[in-house]
């Protein structure tokens, strides 16, 4: 029997406060579920000294568990995943945000569903079943639901949460998808799952609770909405 | 075929079918009150469906205060444990 190993990619930028907590939580849940794992921290030269804290954590948990692969400057999410993937030794890769909005307690559920149905991808979803959010006002919920509805109509992706970024991938599947994506930000997550469908990858969903940024500000302004609309139209016309 | 070409194909087929039926029916009451405004009615009904769906889903978007509370408690627990392991915050 092949024993699976899970490489968790954590791109960070100014996550000095959150990084120790997220790593502590990942270690806790992966250890409890007896899953083999490594955490790859890709810090893009955070001015708040995230990397100093990351080094401390590497010392505490060991360099086999905490792998530091920093970059000199902010280069975007897509290249962060490519960079992290190069150093990933697991046969599965988990991507999640380091800001505590994604709780590591869901990872064992992702793994269980993947094993049960032999999925290529398992994605967290805020929009179905017990999926829920915390810290969103009416406007934020309305924009989110509206954008999601529009996306479902235009792209019919067969996945309920396209902009979420808490997902488990087979490593070779993620490598193929990432290298075919060109978008940035929110749209990047959307493009990844749409491309996955194009490549006929199988996708499972696990409802998650999403607790919006405990520290720091999560923003959704006019420019994010315009960026989203452009990305949506781009995917509508090209995929 | 991209989603855009799919959409255009369905759209063109619908309009072509509509034009054909309008032509065949000629000038009568059904044509004036049902057939001619049909595309407009479809758009209006779809619009109402969309607004109703989005509003329904917005009002039924679940909150998770328990998850937020659990996270806050775990943050405290993690801090305490990490301090013991020698991490300086």
């Amino acid at each position: 029997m092949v024993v699976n190993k899970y490489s968790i990619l954590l791109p960070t930028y100014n996550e000095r406060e959150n990084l120790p907590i997220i790593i502590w939580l990942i270690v806790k849940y992966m250890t409890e579920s007896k899953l083999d794992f490594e955490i790859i921290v890709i810090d893009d030269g955070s001015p708040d000294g995230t990397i100093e804290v990351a080094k401390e954590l590497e010392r505490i948990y060991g360099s086999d568990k905490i792998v530091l692969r920093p970059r000199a400057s902010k280069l975007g999410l897509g290249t962060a995943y490519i960079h992290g993937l190069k150093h990933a030794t697991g046969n599965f890769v988990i991507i999640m945000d380091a800001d505590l909005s994604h709780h590591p307690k869901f990872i064992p559920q992702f793994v269980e569903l993947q094993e049960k149905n032999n999925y290529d991808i398992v994605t967290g979803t805020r929009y179905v079943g017990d999926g829920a959010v915390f810290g969103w006002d009416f406007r934020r919920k309305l924009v989110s639901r509206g954008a999601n509805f529009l996306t479902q109509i235009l792209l019919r992706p067969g996945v309920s949460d396209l902009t979420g970024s808490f997902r488990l991938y087979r490593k070779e599947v993620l490598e193929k998808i990432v290298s075919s994506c060109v978008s940035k930000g929110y749209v990047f997550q959307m493009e990844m799952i749409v491309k996955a469908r194009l490549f006929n990858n199988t996708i499972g969903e696990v409802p998650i609770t999403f607790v919006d940024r405990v520290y720091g500000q999560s923003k959704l302004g006019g420019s994010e909405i315009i960026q989203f609309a452009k990305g949506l139209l781009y995917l509508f016309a090209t995929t | 075929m991209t989603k855009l070409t799919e959409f255009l194909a369905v759209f063109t087929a619908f309009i072509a079918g509509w034009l054909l039926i309008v032509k065949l029916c000629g000038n009568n009451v059904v044509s004036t009150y049902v057939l001619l405004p049909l595309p407009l009615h479809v758009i209006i009904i779809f619009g109402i469906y969309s607004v109703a769906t989005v509003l329904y889903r917005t009002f039924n978007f679940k909150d998770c205060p328990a998850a937020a509370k659990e996270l806050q408690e775990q943050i405290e627990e993690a801090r305490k444990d990490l301090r013991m392991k020698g991490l300086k915050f």
Side-chain angles (χ1 to χ4, degrees):
Chain A
M1 201 187 118
V2 184
V3 177
N4 293 322
K5 181 173 180 179
Y6 300 87
S7 298
I8 299 160
L9 302 189
L10 281 184
T12 58
Y13 190 75
N14 288 345
E15 300 289 359
R16 187 191 172 87
E17 289 286 321
N18 293 320
L19 190 66
I21 314 289
I22 192 78
I23 286 182
W24 186 85
L25 285 168
I26 292 170
V27 172
K28 172 183 160 73
Y29 286 96
M30 296 308 272
T31 312
E32 280 176 8
S33 305
K34 298 187 174 60
L35 298 168
D36 190 16
F37 72 102
E38 65 183 355
I39 303 169
I40 302 179
V41 180
I42 305 134
D43 186 64
D44 276 4
S46 301
D48 77 342
T50 302
I51 195 68
E52 302 308 321
V53 180
K55 278 178 188 154
E56 283 287 292
L57 291 159
E58 182 191 29
R59 186 180 55 74
I60 291 169
Y61 289 109
S63 55
D64 57 326
K65 286 280 171 276
I66 313 290
V67 183
L68 306 183
R69 292 290 177 264
R71 303 189 295 175
S73 60
K74 213 175 175 186
L75 297 167
L77 213 48
T79 56
Y81 291 146
I82 293 172
H83 182 74
L85 269 170
K86 269 188 232 152
H87 305 281
T89 61
N91 55 335
F92 284 94
V93 176
I94 291 158
I95 60 174
M96 62 190 299
D97 293 346
D99 64 4
L100 301 176
S101 56
H102 297 146
H103 200 296
K105 70 183 171 190
F106 294 107
I107 296 175
Q109 294 181 32
F110 284 25
V111 170
E112 196 184 326
L113 186 69
Q114 190 285 321
E115 284 177 347
K116 192 174 151 213
N117 297 306
N118 199 27
Y119 285 130
D120 297 320
I121 301 168
V122 175
T123 176
T125 178
R126 297 161 287 184
Y127 297 110
V128 297
D130 290 328
V133 293
F134 181 82
W136 283 13
D137 58 8
F138 181 80
R139 178 186 167 274
R140 185 78 168 80
K141 285 181 177 175
L142 182 67
V143 171
S144 175
R145 283 297 195 184
N148 187 260
F149 180 79
L150 197 59
T151 313
Q152 295 296 337
I153 296 288
L154 291 182
L155 303 180
R156 285 170 283 129
V159 175
S160 61
D161 194 341
L162 286 95
T163 48
S165 50
F166 190 6
R167 294 177 186 150
L168 166 77
Y169 293 84
R170 262 182 226 287
K171 190 185 176 193
E172 67 276 12
V173 165
L174 182 58
E175 280 169 339
K176 187 175 172 197
I177 295 173
V178 160
S179 59
S180 76
C181 287
V182 295
S183 308
K184 306 234 181 299
Y186 278 119
V187 183
F188 179 69
Q189 305 297 347
M190 225 157 71
E191 186 176 15
M192 295 237 286
I193 213 80
V194 169
K195 288 277 159 70
R197 275 289 180 218
L198 281 186
F199 298 149
N200 290 318
N201 294 133
T202 52
I203 307 172
E205 293 193 297
V206 170
I208 58 163
T209 52
F210 180 91
V211 178
D212 213 350
R213 291 192 71 98
V214 178
Y215 304 106
Q217 276 298 305
S218 145
K219 54 180 177 19
L220 183 73
S223 70
E224 276 81 15
I225 295 174
I226 289 167
Q227 187 202 351
F228 171 83
K230 276 168 137 176
L232 183 58
L233 290 176
Y234 165 75
L235 291 173
F236 181 58
T238 58
T239 62
Chain B
M1 201 149 76
T2 68
K3 290 287 184 274
L4 177 62
T5 50
E6 270 176 41
F7 170 79
L8 289 175
V10 172
F11 180 75
T12 312
F14 174 80
I15 292 296
W18 175 69
L19 281 173
L20 187 70
I21 295 169
V22 167
K23 200 94 176 159
L24 289 175
C25 269
N27 233 341
N28 57 45
V29 184
V30 179
S31 178
T32 313
Y33 292 102
V34 181
L35 277 176
L36 283 178
L38 185 68
L40 183 67
H41 289 166
V42 169
I43 291 171
I44 291 171
I45 289 167
F46 181 70
I48 292 169
Y49 163 75
S50 303
V51 170
T53 306
V54 169
L55 283 178
Y56 176 81
R57 289 178 181 170
T58 303
F59 282 110
N60 288 285
F61 212 146
K62 283 184 200 143
D63 283 299
C64 48
K69 189 166 171 279
E70 180 197 24
L71 179 62
Q72 278 307 336
E73 288 164 4
Q74 287 183 324
I75 288 172
E76 289 313 312
E77 199 187 338
R79 286 221 167 110
K80 212 182 276 174
D81 186 52
L82 285 164
R83 252 187 225 111
M84 266 172 24
K85 290 189 165 91
L87 183 77
K88 290 177 208 72
F89 278 94

